[in-house]
Amino acid sequence: MTKKQRAELVQLELEKLYPEVPIPLDHTDPFTLMTAVALSAQTTDKKVNQVTPNLFKAAGTPEKMAQLEVSEIKELIKEIGLSNTKAKNLKRMAELLLEKHNGVVPQTYEELEALPGVGHKTASVVMSQAFGFPAFPVDTHIQRLMTQWKLTSGKNVVETEKDAKSIFPENVWNKLHLQIIFYGREYSPARGKGEKDFITKMMFEK
């Protein structure tokens, strides 16, 4: 099976499995989405969704977040890994949104990635899911599965993102990256043995 055929198989099977893909992180607007994605680094979406209701109740806007002390933010997110650093980042991120962007989440990678706690992956999620720009954020599931499916060399997330964008049509990027994440969680978890990973089997088992 050629790389092109494998890519087409991935699209076809994932579209059957996940014709609709909700964004896994609970949010109400670009600011709360960006906050949730920033919090999700090195922790699960499930844990983030358990913490953000109280956080957003207290600080669901840049204005309210900036008014809190770092210690107050940390108390609200203490169940999440790296809460010290993330609390500092959230406060400064909110302050910069107010100082430089009138409290509005910007719509360019350069401006987003200049915010504390907002790396390229977070910026890509915001650009694609909040604003509808074509993007292909790469998380651990996508990195693992793209390598497993031999659609990338898997050297790093930058290469994987570049390969994904060259293999898959631009009009499916925003949906497909979520479909791969859902598939990874359900059929090919990192700590599992991949018994349910039927896409890999379809590709490589004779």
Side-chain angles (χ1 to χ4, degrees):
M1 192 177 278
T2 67
K3 183 184 281 191
K4 184 170 184 273
Q5 288 171 326
R6 292 198 299 276
E8 288 171 350
L9 174 67
V10 167
Q11 278 183 255
L12 182 67
E13 294 301 324
L14 293 184
E15 189 61 30
K16 286 183 200 169
L17 278 176
Y18 310 109
E20 301 294 330
V21 277
I23 299 170
L25 291 164
D26 297 337
H27 66 284
T28 54
D29 56 25
F31 175 70
T32 52
L33 175 62
M34 183 167 67
T35 300
V37 180
L39 287 174
S40 71
Q42 297 186 38
T43 192
T44 64
D45 291 349
K46 182 179 178 182
K47 176 56 73 176
V48 173
N49 287 338
Q50 289 170 353
V51 165
T52 49
N54 284 337
L55 175 66
F56 294 155
K57 188 175 179 182
T61 65
E63 291 81 5
K64 289 180 179 177
M65 187 76 77
Q67 286 169 5
L68 292 182
E69 297 296 330
V70 171
S71 58
E72 293 176 297
I73 299 172
K74 188 193 169 189
E75 181 63 25
L76 289 163
I77 64 169
K78 63 184 178 184
E79 294 175 37
I80 287 179
L82 307 176
S83 59
N84 270 338
T85 302
K86 289 176 181 178
K88 290 175 189 172
N89 284 342
L90 289 184
K91 180 172 175 66
R92 190 62 189 138
M93 177 176 79
E95 288 172 344
L96 285 175
L97 284 176
L98 294 170
E99 290 169 18
K100 295 189 174 184
H101 305 288
N102 297 314
V104 177
V105 176
Q107 297 189 28
T108 71
Y109 283 101
E110 186 179 8
E111 291 171 310
L112 286 168
E113 291 177 33
L115 297 169
V118 180
H120 183 66
K121 181 205 156 193
T122 298
S124 295
V125 173
V126 173
M127 289 291 281
S128 63
Q129 306 304 341
F131 302 126
F133 292 100
F136 209 106
V138 174
D139 78 340
T140 54
H141 291 291
I142 293 174
Q143 176 75 7
R144 185 178 73 256
L145 286 168
M146 286 283 291
T147 306
Q148 208 162 281
W149 294 333
K150 292 185 167 48
L151 297 176
T152 183
S153 63
K155 290 177 184 174
N156 54 58
V157 294
V158 176
E159 283 297 313
T160 300
E161 179 182 344
K162 184 180 173 184
D163 290 338
K165 286 180 171 179
S166 70
I167 294 164
F168 298 113
E170 186 178 286
N171 66 330
V172 303
W173 292 352
N174 290 1
K175 185 176 184 181
L176 185 62
H177 90 266
L178 288 173
Q179 290 172 319
I180 296 175
I181 291 169
F182 278 89
Y183 182 84
R185 289 176 180 171
E186 188 172 354
Y187 292 93
S188 185
R191 295 178 184 176
K193 296 179 181 177
E195 296 100 333
K196 296 196 295 180
D197 181 7
F198 68 90
I199 289 180
T200 303
K201 289 175 182 173
M202 290 170 75
M203 287 179 184
F204 301 113
E205 284 192 2
K206 294 181 181 178

